[in-house]
Amino acid sequence: MIVPRFVIGLTDASLVALNVFNAFMIFSHIHPVESPAKKPAVTAGHTIVYRVHSAPFLRTSVIVALVASSLWFMQDYRFSQDSSSLLRGVISAYTVVCTSILMKYGEYLIKLGVRRVLEIERDVSTENIQRFKPPSKAVMDTLVAPARLFFNVHSVGLDRITRDAPHLFVSNHSLYGLEMPIFLNHIYQNTGILPRGLADHFHFALPNGAVLRAFGAVDGTRENVDTLMQSGQSVLVYPGGGHEVLKKSSVPRYELMWKDRLGFARMAIKHGYPILPCACVGIEDMFIPLGDIPTPYRGYVIPLAYTTPARCQRMYFWFGSPISTSQYNGDFDNDDFARKVRDETKNAIENGIKELRQFQENDPKRYLVNQMCSMLKKSVFGDSNEAADEVGEGNKLKTS
């Protein structure tokens, strides 16, 4: 059986068009509701589906044509053993199944409307936030284990984290955000608390959004923070956000880039959460800046920097004393209260950074190279004190 070329060309073009549309509908459906692309995608899908459903016999004609195409090419394969016919037949059958399912989804989309669909997905997202169960300590530690080969940790003030009440952890972000997984794991392993991180909206438009969500991160909206705090969960926020992660080369190391942000202070006051100021030092000392690539997104740049093995070093974490907000009686709309809490938190973190940098300067175990040399000495000579005693005894013998 010979299939005319124009039929093959028309079938191929139709299959490509239908599968592109199906892929778009799947994308709009499974894309997280936190993503900025969610509402435009659902709206566009609703518009197209509505027009398709409004055309008489169009849906039935599409399904009939796909079934006929699949049977035609399968029959052609029986006689010609042409593998391209088999492939087209299989793709046609697959397209029939996907299109039928998505047509049913389209009916619900038309019936409910864009607003109601988004409301349902937000409700589901809220329920998932409340029901989140953190991974076990063993799993978390295993995932972070490769980073510990390069980043040893020294921390101060872990005893200030109390387990009898939730906290709002507020910290500076380091270049590229490399400190965050190790920071979270360090808190989790030592206190049993895994703070729920607040992430920027754009993360949930990218594949890494699913990874962040698996470890407790949520889109940093006020609604989500309300949900977390109403359920008594500890929260981690970086007021500098993406501007500190993608810090310009001209910005001094560890400088806070908070602008006039008061959101975290308002939420802490609203729910009476104590703020636990945190600081991180070490990552930005590893990198030598080369320059910045500008982007059109909210003034962000992509900083270019490099490092060498000799610059790999410890990370230093500092945890300050909790800052109470209960005295403001939930008056989160008061700008003076919010600024006071914000400024007190900022000053505490800046002092924490200063304290860590002073310790860092005199730390003999700061660099990875020094740590490896120390480990080598210990493996050869045993404990350093025992080695020193042996050297002392040897000097005495020589003197006598």
Side-chain angles (χ1 to χ4, degrees):
M1 183 185 300
I2 300 175
V3 182
R5 288 189 177 182
F6 82 90
V7 173
I8 294 177
L10 182 61
T11 302
D12 289 348
S14 301
L15 290 174
V16 169
L18 273 172
N19 281 291
V20 167
F21 174 70
N22 289 345
F24 172 76
M25 291 300 294
I26 293 171
F27 167 82
S28 68
H29 178 62
I30 68 173
H31 206 55
V33 70
E34 300 92 348
S35 169
K38 179 68 175 185
K39 186 176 180 179
V42 174
T43 302
H46 178 273
T47 302
I48 297 171
V49 168
Y50 181 79
R51 292 180 178 177
V52 169
H53 281 245
S54 300
F57 306 111
L58 180 57
R59 289 182 296 160
T60 304
S61 300
V62 169
I63 296 299
V64 169
L66 286 171
V67 172
S69 173
S70 179
L71 294 174
W72 179 293
F73 284 112
M74 289 297 188
Q75 187 72 4
D76 181 65
Y77 173 71
R78 279 186 61 192
F79 290 99
S80 66
Q81 295 297 305
D82 184 357
S83 58
S84 63
S85 293
L86 176 62
L87 180 62
R88 288 186 175 92
V90 171
I91 292 175
S92 297
Y94 162 80
T95 308
V96 169
V97 175
C98 287
T99 304
S100 300
I101 294 172
L102 290 171
M103 281 182 177
K104 193 64 179 177
Y105 166 70
E107 291 177 7
Y108 288 114
L109 182 59
I110 293 171
K111 183 177 180 180
L112 295 173
V114 174
R115 180 181 298 179
R116 183 58 185 147
V117 167
L118 294 176
E119 286 176 356
I120 292 172
E121 293 206 21
R122 288 193 187 97
D123 290 342
V124 172
S125 177
T126 299
E127 186 176 349
N128 289 338
I129 289 172
Q130 294 172 330
R131 294 168 54 186
F132 171 77
K133 299 295 182 184
S136 68
K137 286 185 178 181
V139 169
M140 190 81 170
D141 205 41
T142 300
L143 292 172
V144 177
R148 289 203 303 273
L149 296 174
F150 303 96
F151 305 126
N152 193 357
V153 173
H154 173 83
S155 65
V156 178
L158 272 170
D159 56 318
R160 295 166 183 157
I161 304 175
T162 58
R163 304 186 188 185
D164 56 350
H167 293 80
L168 175 59
F169 292 79
V170 182
S171 182
N172 65 306
H173 234 331
S174 292
L175 187 65
Y176 303 134
L178 294 177
E179 87 292 345
M180 188 174 66
I182 300 174
F183 179 72
L184 284 170
N185 185 59
H186 190 70
I187 296 174
Y188 192 28
Q189 298 298 329
N190 288 281
T191 69
I193 298 169
L194 181 62
R196 304 293 298 276
L198 303 183
D200 206 327
H201 309 305
F202 77 87
H203 284 295
F204 298 97
L206 302 172
N208 66 316
V211 177
L212 293 175
R213 194 180 295 106
F215 291 96
V218 302
D219 187 20
T221 64
R222 292 195 176 188
E223 294 78 11
N224 285 344
V225 177
D226 281 333
T227 298
L228 291 171
M229 291 187 169
Q230 286 167 0
S231 57
Q233 301 188 52
S234 289
V235 181
L236 169 64
V237 62
Y238 295 96
H243 290 285
E244 288 181 0
V245 171
L246 302 175
K247 187 175 292 182
K248 293 182 178 179
S249 302
S250 58
V251 177
R253 290 170 180 163
Y254 309 112
E255 180 172 305
L256 300 184
M257 302 176 68
W258 292 11
K259 298 183 180 179
D260 196 34
R261 294 180 177 175
L262 300 173
F264 77 90
R266 292 190 193 278
M267 298 308 291
I269 292 171
K270 180 178 181 180
H271 296 275
Y273 259 52
I275 291 176
L276 202 139
C278 312
C280 173
V281 164
I283 291 292
E284 295 184 10
D285 292 291
M286 300 185 199
F287 290 95
I288 300 172
L290 293 173
D292 305 312
I293 300 175
T295 72
Y297 183 70
R298 295 168 56 182
Y300 285 136
V301 301
I302 300 175
L304 301 178
Y306 72 96
T307 187
T308 64
R311 296 184 71 89
C312 291
Q313 56 188 277
R314 259 184 170 180
M315 281 195 289
Y316 303 84
F317 299 145
W318 173 89
F319 302 92
S321 299
I323 298 171
S324 176
T325 62
S326 59
Q327 66 270 31
Y328 301 112
N329 299 316
D331 188 5
F332 66 96
D333 284 327
N334 190 308
D335 290 343
D336 293 334
F337 290 167
R339 286 195 180 91
K340 185 176 180 181
V341 171
R342 189 272 312 275
D343 293 343
E344 187 177 353
T345 305
K346 186 176 182 181
N347 290 336
I349 293 174
E350 288 175 338
N351 289 333
I353 292 172
K354 184 177 179 181
E355 179 182 329
L356 289 179
R357 299 199 77 178
Q358 289 173 347
F359 179 86
Q360 179 194 44
E361 288 180 4
N362 302 309
D363 183 12
K365 297 181 180 179
R366 174 179 177 180
Y367 291 100
L368 179 63
V369 172
N370 292 343
Q371 295 171 30
M372 294 177 67
C373 289
S374 177
M375 291 172 61
L376 182 61
K377 286 182 180 178
K378 190 172 182 178
S379 65
V380 174
F381 298 107
D383 185 79
S384 58
N385 292 329
E386 294 176 1
D389 291 341
E390 290 174 7
V391 172
E393 289 295 323
N395 286 339
K396 286 181 183 179
L397 291 171
K398 287 180 182 178
T399 306
S400 61

